[in-house]
Amino acid sequence: MPRPQQERAVRTRKAIIRAAAEEFDLHGYAGTSTTKIIKKAGCTMGALYFHFASKHDLARALMAEQGADLPVVTGRGGLQGLVDLTFVLARELQSNVVFRAGVRLAVEQGAFGLRDDSAYQLWITTFKERLIAAQALGELSENTDPAGFARVLVGAYSGTQLLSEIRTGREDLTERIAELWSYFLPAVAAPDVIGRLDITGDEAEVTA
């Protein structure tokens, strides 16, 4: 059973992560100060540095933990499950500040001297696993390589969400993801599968 001191430490760390996410999301790495973070978190500078060695370390933690509290996509498997996942991620980018801040920092990381592709590799692996499952069901075209398309999809998705953020604050992101799939599916899916796939995201099922 966790001791009260341990529970307080866990709560403090979560408060710091949340406050940092809100600041990084609004102002980016360069525009965020540790003073603003601790004020929003309601803690001391000593508490922040107990958990994180620096603002740089805190940013890396946010990048690494960006997907920690995302809902799990359930229900439909195969290629439809992958499509559903991309829409769930789009909606999380619209509403989940920790996820959104982690994604922003991954894009901006060169500005603070970091070259870490682990967050991208996580999504490449996740997408590849879904594609391998789809391949086993005979849903992919013969020329589709799950690993190769996973890399392409992560790159295209990253660019799509960034353009949507710049243009509309991601308000049109689900529409842009539907557009992305309308071009990708004829190239990667077996012809008899395409007509059965829902690319609206409306039926995606998740659990917290």
Side-chain angles (χ1 to χ4, degrees), residues 54-86:
S54 62
K55 185 175 82 166
H56 188 279
D57 186 42
L58 177 52
R60 291 194 70 159
L62 258 173
M63 287 169 54
E65 297 178 26
Q66 61 178 257
D69 64 343
L70 295 179
V72 176
V73 179
T74 57
R76 303 188 288 189
L79 193 52
Q80 183 66 69
L82 174 60
V83 172
D84 288 349
L85 174 58
T86 62

Short mmCIF file of all heavy atoms in Angstrom, two decimals, residues 54-86:
data_model
loop_
_atom_site.label_atom_id
_atom_site.label_comp_id
_atom_site.label_asym_id
_atom_site.label_seq_id
_atom_site.Cartn_x
_atom_site.Cartn_y
_atom_site.Cartn_z
N SER A 54 15.42 19.37 -15.19
CA SER A 54 15.42 20.64 -15.92
C SER A 54 14.16 20.76 -16.75
O SER A 54 13.39 19.79 -16.88
CB SER A 54 16.64 20.72 -16.84
OG SER A 54 16.58 19.68 -17.81
N LYS A 55 13.95 21.92 -17.35
CA LYS A 55 12.83 22.08 -18.28
C LYS A 55 13.01 21.13 -19.47
O LYS A 55 12.03 20.55 -19.97
CB LYS A 55 12.75 23.54 -18.78
CG LYS A 55 11.53 23.80 -19.65
CD LYS A 55 11.39 25.26 -20.02
CE LYS A 55 12.27 25.65 -21.19
NZ LYS A 55 11.89 26.98 -21.76
N HIS A 56 14.23 20.95 -19.89
CA HIS A 56 14.55 20.02 -20.97
C HIS A 56 14.11 18.60 -20.61
O HIS A 56 13.48 17.90 -21.41
CB HIS A 56 16.06 20.07 -21.23
CG HIS A 56 16.52 19.30 -22.43
ND1 HIS A 56 16.72 17.94 -22.40
CD2 HIS A 56 16.83 19.70 -23.69
CE1 HIS A 56 17.13 17.53 -23.59
NE2 HIS A 56 17.20 18.58 -24.39
N ASP A 57 14.41 18.18 -19.38
CA ASP A 57 14.03 16.86 -18.91
C ASP A 57 12.52 16.71 -18.84
O ASP A 57 11.96 15.66 -19.18
CB ASP A 57 14.66 16.62 -17.52
CG ASP A 57 14.44 15.21 -17.01
OD1 ASP A 57 14.57 14.27 -17.80
OD2 ASP A 57 14.14 15.06 -15.81
N LEU A 58 11.84 17.76 -18.41
CA LEU A 58 10.39 17.76 -18.33
C LEU A 58 9.78 17.64 -19.73
O LEU A 58 8.81 16.89 -19.94
CB LEU A 58 9.91 19.04 -17.64
CG LEU A 58 8.41 19.28 -17.50
CD1 LEU A 58 7.71 18.08 -16.88
CD2 LEU A 58 8.17 20.53 -16.66
N ALA A 59 10.35 18.35 -20.69
CA ALA A 59 9.86 18.25 -22.06
C ALA A 59 10.03 16.84 -22.62
O ALA A 59 9.13 16.30 -23.29
CB ALA A 59 10.59 19.26 -22.95
N ARG A 60 11.16 16.23 -22.33
CA ARG A 60 11.39 14.85 -22.79
C ARG A 60 10.38 13.90 -22.17
O ARG A 60 9.89 12.97 -22.83
CB ARG A 60 12.81 14.41 -22.44
CG ARG A 60 13.89 15.10 -23.23
CD ARG A 60 15.23 14.41 -23.10
NE ARG A 60 15.21 13.13 -23.80
CZ ARG A 60 16.30 12.49 -24.21
NH1 ARG A 60 17.49 13.02 -24.02
NH2 ARG A 60 16.21 11.34 -24.83
N ALA A 61 10.07 14.11 -20.89
CA ALA A 61 9.09 13.26 -20.22
C ALA A 61 7.72 13.39 -20.87
O ALA A 61 7.01 12.39 -21.06
CB ALA A 61 9.01 13.62 -18.73
N LEU A 62 7.35 14.60 -21.22
CA LEU A 62 6.06 14.82 -21.88
C LEU A 62 6.02 14.14 -23.25
O LEU A 62 5.01 13.55 -23.63
CB LEU A 62 5.80 16.31 -22.03
CG LEU A 62 4.83 16.94 -21.04
CD1 LEU A 62 4.81 18.45 -21.20
CD2 LEU A 62 3.44 16.36 -21.21
N MET A 63 7.11 14.23 -23.98
CA MET A 63 7.17 13.55 -25.27
C MET A 63 7.02 12.04 -25.10
O MET A 63 6.29 11.39 -25.84
CB MET A 63 8.50 13.86 -25.97
CG MET A 63 8.60 15.27 -26.52
SD MET A 63 10.28 15.69 -27.06
CE MET A 63 10.67 14.36 -28.19
N ALA A 64 7.69 11.50 -24.08
CA ALA A 64 7.67 10.06 -23.85
C ALA A 64 6.31 9.57 -23.36
O ALA A 64 5.89 8.45 -23.66
CB ALA A 64 8.74 9.68 -22.85
N GLU A 65 5.61 10.44 -22.61
CA GLU A 65 4.35 10.03 -21.99
C GLU A 65 3.12 10.52 -22.75
O GLU A 65 2.00 10.42 -22.25
CB GLU A 65 4.31 10.56 -20.54
CG GLU A 65 5.39 9.97 -19.65
CD GLU A 65 5.37 10.55 -18.24
OE1 GLU A 65 4.30 11.00 -17.79
OE2 GLU A 65 6.43 10.53 -17.59
N GLN A 66 3.32 11.03 -23.95
CA GLN A 66 2.21 11.65 -24.67
C GLN A 66 1.04 10.71 -24.88
O GLN A 66 -0.12 11.13 -24.94
CB GLN A 66 2.67 12.21 -26.02
CG GLN A 66 3.21 11.18 -26.98
CD GLN A 66 3.60 11.77 -28.31
OE1 GLN A 66 2.88 11.63 -29.29
NE2 GLN A 66 4.73 12.43 -28.35
N GLY A 67 1.30 9.41 -25.00
CA GLY A 67 0.22 8.47 -25.24
C GLY A 67 -0.21 7.67 -24.02
O GLY A 67 -0.99 6.73 -24.14
N ALA A 68 0.27 8.07 -22.84
CA ALA A 68 0.06 7.26 -21.64
C ALA A 68 -1.40 7.14 -21.23
O ALA A 68 -1.83 6.10 -20.72
CB ALA A 68 0.88 7.81 -20.48
N ASP A 69 -2.18 8.19 -21.41
CA ASP A 69 -3.57 8.15 -20.96
C ASP A 69 -4.58 8.15 -22.10
O ASP A 69 -5.73 8.55 -21.93
CB ASP A 69 -3.86 9.32 -20.01
CG ASP A 69 -3.73 10.69 -20.69
OD1 ASP A 69 -3.12 10.74 -21.78
OD2 ASP A 69 -4.23 11.69 -20.13
N LEU A 70 -4.15 7.68 -23.27
CA LEU A 70 -5.06 7.62 -24.41
C LEU A 70 -6.04 6.46 -24.25
O LEU A 70 -5.70 5.42 -23.68
CB LEU A 70 -4.29 7.45 -25.71
CG LEU A 70 -3.38 8.61 -26.12
CD1 LEU A 70 -2.67 8.26 -27.42
CD2 LEU A 70 -4.16 9.90 -26.27
N PRO A 71 -7.26 6.62 -24.74
CA PRO A 71 -8.20 5.49 -24.69
C PRO A 71 -7.74 4.36 -25.61
O PRO A 71 -6.98 4.58 -26.55
CB PRO A 71 -9.51 6.11 -25.19
CG PRO A 71 -9.09 7.26 -26.03
CD PRO A 71 -7.84 7.80 -25.39
N VAL A 72 -8.21 3.16 -25.32
CA VAL A 72 -7.87 1.98 -26.12
C VAL A 72 -8.97 1.76 -27.14
O VAL A 72 -10.15 1.74 -26.81
CB VAL A 72 -7.72 0.74 -25.22
CG1 VAL A 72 -7.45 -0.51 -26.07
CG2 VAL A 72 -6.60 0.95 -24.20
N VAL A 73 -8.56 1.59 -28.40
CA VAL A 73 -9.53 1.35 -29.47
C VAL A 73 -9.94 -0.12 -29.42
O VAL A 73 -9.10 -1.02 -29.48
CB VAL A 73 -8.95 1.70 -30.85
CG1 VAL A 73 -9.97 1.40 -31.95
CG2 VAL A 73 -8.53 3.16 -30.89
N THR A 74 -11.24 -0.37 -29.28
CA THR A 74 -11.75 -1.74 -29.18
C THR A 74 -12.78 -1.97 -30.28
O THR A 74 -13.12 -1.07 -31.04
CB THR A 74 -12.40 -1.97 -27.81
OG1 THR A 74 -13.45 -0.99 -27.62
CG2 THR A 74 -11.39 -1.82 -26.68
N GLY A 75 -13.28 -3.17 -30.33
CA GLY A 75 -14.38 -3.46 -31.26
C GLY A 75 -13.89 -3.99 -32.59
O GLY A 75 -13.72 -5.18 -32.75
N ARG A 76 -13.61 -3.11 -33.52
CA ARG A 76 -13.31 -3.54 -34.88
C ARG A 76 -11.81 -3.75 -35.07
O ARG A 76 -10.99 -2.95 -34.64
CB ARG A 76 -13.84 -2.51 -35.87
CG ARG A 76 -15.34 -2.30 -35.70
CD ARG A 76 -15.95 -1.45 -36.78
NE ARG A 76 -15.59 -0.04 -36.70
CZ ARG A 76 -16.15 0.90 -37.46
NH1 ARG A 76 -17.08 0.56 -38.34
NH2 ARG A 76 -15.79 2.16 -37.34
N GLY A 77 -11.47 -4.86 -35.72
CA GLY A 77 -10.06 -5.18 -35.91
C GLY A 77 -9.62 -4.98 -37.35
O GLY A 77 -10.32 -4.34 -38.15
N GLY A 78 -8.47 -5.54 -37.68
CA GLY A 78 -7.95 -5.46 -39.03
C GLY A 78 -7.70 -4.03 -39.47
O GLY A 78 -7.38 -3.15 -38.67
N LEU A 79 -7.87 -3.79 -40.77
CA LEU A 79 -7.60 -2.47 -41.33
C LEU A 79 -8.58 -1.43 -40.77
O LEU A 79 -8.22 -0.27 -40.55
CB LEU A 79 -7.69 -2.53 -42.85
CG LEU A 79 -7.15 -1.33 -43.64
CD1 LEU A 79 -5.73 -0.97 -43.21
CD2 LEU A 79 -7.20 -1.62 -45.13
N GLN A 80 -9.82 -1.85 -40.51
CA GLN A 80 -10.79 -0.92 -39.93
C GLN A 80 -10.33 -0.45 -38.55
O GLN A 80 -10.52 0.72 -38.18
CB GLN A 80 -12.16 -1.59 -39.81
CG GLN A 80 -13.25 -0.67 -39.27
CD GLN A 80 -13.57 0.48 -40.21
OE1 GLN A 80 -14.13 0.25 -41.28
NE2 GLN A 80 -13.23 1.71 -39.83
N GLY A 81 -9.71 -1.34 -37.80
CA GLY A 81 -9.20 -0.95 -36.49
C GLY A 81 -8.13 0.11 -36.58
O GLY A 81 -8.06 1.02 -35.73
N LEU A 82 -7.28 0.02 -37.60
CA LEU A 82 -6.26 1.04 -37.79
C LEU A 82 -6.89 2.37 -38.18
O LEU A 82 -6.51 3.43 -37.66
CB LEU A 82 -5.27 0.60 -38.87
CG LEU A 82 -4.22 1.63 -39.28
CD1 LEU A 82 -3.35 2.05 -38.10
CD2 LEU A 82 -3.34 1.09 -40.42
N VAL A 83 -7.85 2.32 -39.09
CA VAL A 83 -8.56 3.55 -39.48
C VAL A 83 -9.21 4.18 -38.26
O VAL A 83 -9.10 5.39 -38.02
CB VAL A 83 -9.60 3.26 -40.59
CG1 VAL A 83 -10.45 4.49 -40.85
CG2 VAL A 83 -8.91 2.79 -41.87
N ASP A 84 -9.89 3.36 -37.45
CA ASP A 84 -10.53 3.87 -36.24
C ASP A 84 -9.51 4.54 -35.32
O ASP A 84 -9.78 5.60 -34.75
CB ASP A 84 -11.22 2.74 -35.49
CG ASP A 84 -12.49 2.25 -36.19
OD1 ASP A 84 -12.95 2.92 -37.13
OD2 ASP A 84 -13.01 1.19 -35.78
N LEU A 85 -8.35 3.90 -35.16
CA LEU A 85 -7.32 4.45 -34.29
C LEU A 85 -6.89 5.83 -34.74
O LEU A 85 -6.70 6.74 -33.91
CB LEU A 85 -6.11 3.51 -34.26
CG LEU A 85 -4.87 3.99 -33.49
CD1 LEU A 85 -5.21 4.29 -32.04
CD2 LEU A 85 -3.74 2.96 -33.59
N THR A 86 -6.75 6.04 -36.04
CA THR A 86 -6.31 7.36 -36.51
C THR A 86 -7.35 8.44 -36.21
O THR A 86 -6.99 9.59 -35.95
CB THR A 86 -6.00 7.34 -38.03
OG1 THR A 86 -7.18 7.01 -38.78
CG2 THR A 86 -4.87 6.36 -38.34
#
